[in-house]
Amino acid sequence: GAAFDATNVWLVHTDSVWHMAPDGSQMTEAMTSPYAAPTNLSAIAVDDSHVFVGVSDGHVLAAAKQDGATLAPIAQLAPYPLLLADGGNVYVKTVVDESPGYRSQIIRMAADGSNATVLVDHAGIMNGWAIHGDSVYYSIDDDGTIHRICK
């Protein structure tokens, strides 16, 4: 995965987080995973101060946005969480298999994992999602419409 801030492109690899200049120069390993294989880092988001990483086992990790910072768990959710960050909050999208169907959620929490609030709880699969201004936008697999909720 990749995320962007005003000065860097941030990349997550299975066991580390890297940043580089937008032109691809100055690639630097910023931090490493506290987990061993087969648990992998799988998603990334950044805000002005933090790097957030989703882990295949469902953990959400956070670290100060500086080289050598330690990624520490702030939440344990469903496997392979997807992340967006904005204004000191991290937004997490999860999908859980509840055979015979799925349940998707969008959860907002503070950068330290506190104040977790479920913004969307949907019986089905959510597809694309984005943050803009004061809203979270998302689409639903089975109806094709774009929905909007306040952050």
Side-chain angles (χ1 to χ4, degrees), residues 39-51:
T39 302
N40 296 313
L41 305 181
S42 60
I44 189 167
V46 297
D47 68 10
D48 291 341
S49 305
H50 302 92
V51 174

Side-chain angles (χ1 to χ4, degrees), residues 46-48 50 52 85-91 109-111 131 151:
V46 297
D47 68 10
D48 291 341
H50 302 92
F52 302 98
D86 183 39
N89 289 312
V90 60
Y91 297 81
M109 66 185 75
I131 294 175
K151 292 196 293 191

